[in-house]
Amino acid sequence: MSSEQTPQGHGQHGKHGFETRAIHAGYEPDPTTGAVIPPIYATSTYKQDGVGGMRGGYEYSRSGNPTRTALEANIAALEEGERGFAFASGLAAEDTLIRALTRPGDHVVIPDDAYGGTYRLVDKVARPWGLEHTPAPVADVDAVRAAIRPGTTKLVWVETPTNPLLTIGDIEALAGVAHDAGALLVVDNTFASSYLQQPLTLGADVVVHSTTKYAGGHSDVVGGALVVRDLEVAEQLAFFQNSIGGVAGPFDSWLVLRGLRTLALRMERHCDNAELVAAHLAAHPAVERVIYPGLESHPGHAVAARQMKRFGGIVSFRLKAGEQAALDVCAATELFTLGESLGGVESLIEHPGRMTHASVAGTDLEVPGDLVRLSVGIETGADLVADLDEALARATR
Ligand SMILES: Cc1ncc(COP(=O)(O)O)c(C=O)c1O
């Protein structure tokens, strides 16, 4: 599909509220059948009306597929961006972004606390091709500025909140620092979700999502997305998305699109339950420290309150009794399922040091062994608290 023909942007839905955009942006009921939900266009190719006579610009499904187009337009509208791009995974999105916007000899600043797979991609895949990187703490704007190599740094990449330590970066300030050095600010918005935070409106240039998480929301699909506000950057991403080919398939696109329609409702409930769990754990004698941006004790609380609608569904905590107790708690919960990933309706528990972040062991990004990460789901809040209480009692007696 040629990019100028891609139906994108939030158009008439730009003036609507988030929940309205989530349900309507990117798709009008099908003119032939009236179907209110986009069909899963399980097709690899499209009949042309004479050579080059494409209908709606569709020629081949790596280049464009109507179900994917609906998702791309929808997520662009939610992030208040100009264009969205959907990928087979969050890491496929990140890989395309890095290859589109950097070249051998360039440099990127990455968070010193980040999803382990992002670090692995930058350190083990991109670095051997000549991309240098420097980790910096996202909460410290001066440290990020100091990590930039003017002229060589092309991307300042942050997560906020970070995975798994939930550090908060001030997006507006970081955008200023990146732009002063001629770099773009990339914000991985996976943890906050498009509902709680819209980085492009705060000056970021590119938003990254693992749509596997809150966007999909039901732990039944792996996907990724990029959203940008500058059309030139969009053109580069469109070219690389098609050239590399790590695109979201139509069924996966349909699942993420279905998830996004209820994102606002789910996030409110995730936040309610996470606040309950964080307050409860903060008062628990076996817990050394609860890390949740919604707690006033969190050093990034004020910035989070400014740039996020609420504080999200992830709660991390450290055990007084150390690593073995953390492992025992992970093994002892019943409602909180032991597993990687996050952002689904069901509650999950994990040990970052041995699971999601095993790939950063021994690096600047290593996480503490006594750390437990919760993805707080949308079950009955009191049941979740009781499950954690019982597990903590069993693990620390
Ligand atoms: C913050 C963050 N970014 C990116 C990714 C990578 O996404 P995916 O697993 O969909 O490739 C993850 C996965 O856990 C993540 O937590």
Side-chain angles (χ1 to χ4, degrees), residues 45-61:
T45 192
Y46 306 84
K47 174 179 163 39
Q48 300 193 8
D49 300 320
V51 175
M54 290 175 271
R55 300 185 191 177
Y58 292 101
E59 58 179 342
Y60 184 63
S61 277

Side-chain angles (χ1 to χ4, degrees), residues 89-91 94 115 159 163 188 190-191 210 212-213 222-223 342:
S89 69
L91 282 174
E94 294 183 15
Y115 170 55
E159 294 177 9
N163 179 3
D188 184 329
T190 300
F191 265 42
S210 168
T212 314
K213 311 296 169 5
V222 171
L342 57 110

Side-chain angles (χ1 to χ4, degrees), residues 311-337:
F311 302 99
I314 310 296
V315 177
S316 294
F317 63 100
R318 299 180 69 170
L319 274 297
K320 279 187 186 150
E323 178 160 16
Q324 191 54 50
L327 292 166
D328 291 346
V329 172
C330 290
T333 51
E334 284 176 8
L335 285 177
F336 280 86
T337 303

